[in-house]
Amino acid sequence: MTAIAVQTHLTPEEYLAWERKAPFKNEYLSGQILAMSGANLAHNLITGNIFNALYNQLMNREYEVYISKMRVKANPITSYFYPDVAVVCDEPRFEDDAFDTLLNPTVVVEVLSPSTAAYDKGEKFESYKQIASLQEYILVSQDRVNVERHFRLGTQWRTIEFQDIADVLPLASIRCELPLSHIYRRVQWRDTL
């Protein structure tokens, strides 16, 4: 999805009160509101494919899979994001009794668009790294076969990139695998790969 910065600074409490009434999703980064625009066909297919595959693999285990309407909070600089897919192990923890802001994701997936790629790889990733429970951050390109798996190894983050449709993305923290052929199922690009 595309993020558009709105020149409004709110406290985290003001943001949550406002966001819960807003007709459209807005992310929050250090006091700044980031309006989220709609997603294209490829983005929607990829997000649905990933959610479907993870849900099916985790349905009989103590995990929950959320799609893009679940907000995630990152600290110590308070930020709120709407990842395309989030997975939580064990019991999900929420910010309050509205149960709409997840505090302990294990895996977060963002589908990149040309307008959000730099933000998702930069500022957003830096914020996500502050979530102690987060073990894997997955970035999926929507305009070509390219998946980045960022994973926590002790106190460091490592990266592996996948660019072949025959590759399989391992998600070690939740003991799942996602074939890239499934991630990109039915996605068609105008240009040849």
Side-chain angles (χ1 to χ4, degrees):
M1 279 188 222
T2 302
I4 301 166
V6 176
Q7 295 302 318
T8 302
H9 289 280
L10 300 175
T11 67
E13 296 77 20
E14 290 169 332
Y15 161 77
L16 277 180
W18 178 75
E19 178 67 8
R20 286 176 173 154
K21 296 175 186 170
F24 303 103
K25 294 187 304 182
N26 301 278
E27 293 189 335
Y28 177 87
L29 180 63
S30 305
Q32 187 174 17
I33 303 300
L34 303 166
M36 305 305 292
S37 67
N40 69 18
L41 176 62
H43 188 287
N44 279 300
L45 286 171
I46 292 166
T47 301
N49 290 343
I50 292 169
F51 174 82
N52 176 273
L54 291 176
Y55 178 84
N56 287 335
Q57 291 180 60
L58 297 171
M59 68 185 336
N60 294 318
R61 296 173 27 204
E62 296 297 316
Y63 297 84
E64 290 188 11
V65 184
Y66 303 107
I67 205 145
S68 62
K69 297 283 187 182
M70 178 59 72
R71 189 172 36 251
V72 169
K73 181 179 182 181
N75 279 322
I77 298 172
T78 303
S79 300
Y80 294 92
F81 304 112
Y82 287 95
D84 291 303
V85 178
V87 179
V88 64
C89 297
D90 303 318
E91 190 68 31
R93 290 190 347 264
F94 296 95
E95 184 166 35
D96 55 31
D97 60 3
F99 302 106
D100 60 358
T101 306
L102 183 66
L103 300 176
N104 62 329
T106 305
V107 176
V108 165
V109 179
E110 294 283 3
V111 178
L112 304 175
S113 69
S115 62
T116 64
Y119 170 65
D120 289 343
K121 291 179 180 189
E123 285 181 282
K124 189 181 269 191
F125 186 28
E126 289 305 314
S127 292
Y128 276 138
K129 285 179 184 178
Q130 305 310 310
I131 302 173
S133 63
L134 187 67
Q135 297 300 307
E136 296 180 89
Y137 181 53
I138 310 303
L139 297 171
V140 182
S141 174
Q142 71 178 8
D143 55 7
R144 62 189 171 99
V145 175
N146 190 2
V147 177
E148 294 177 21
R149 176 182 175 243
H150 301 271
F151 59 99
R152 194 184 299 263
L153 192 59
T155 59
Q156 301 295 311
W157 282 86
R158 302 285 188 247
T159 302
I160 300 174
E161 199 164 348
F162 302 87
Q163 296 179 327
D164 189 314
I165 198 72
D167 286 341
V168 175
L169 170 68
L171 296 171
S173 64
I174 57 173
R175 298 183 321 275
C176 290
E177 292 184 336
L178 292 176
L180 270 64
S181 61
H182 185 89
I183 291 172
Y184 289 104
R185 183 178 173 272
R186 298 185 61 114
V187 175
Q188 297 177 1
W189 293 279
R190 296 197 194 303
D191 300 324
T192 58
L193 297 177

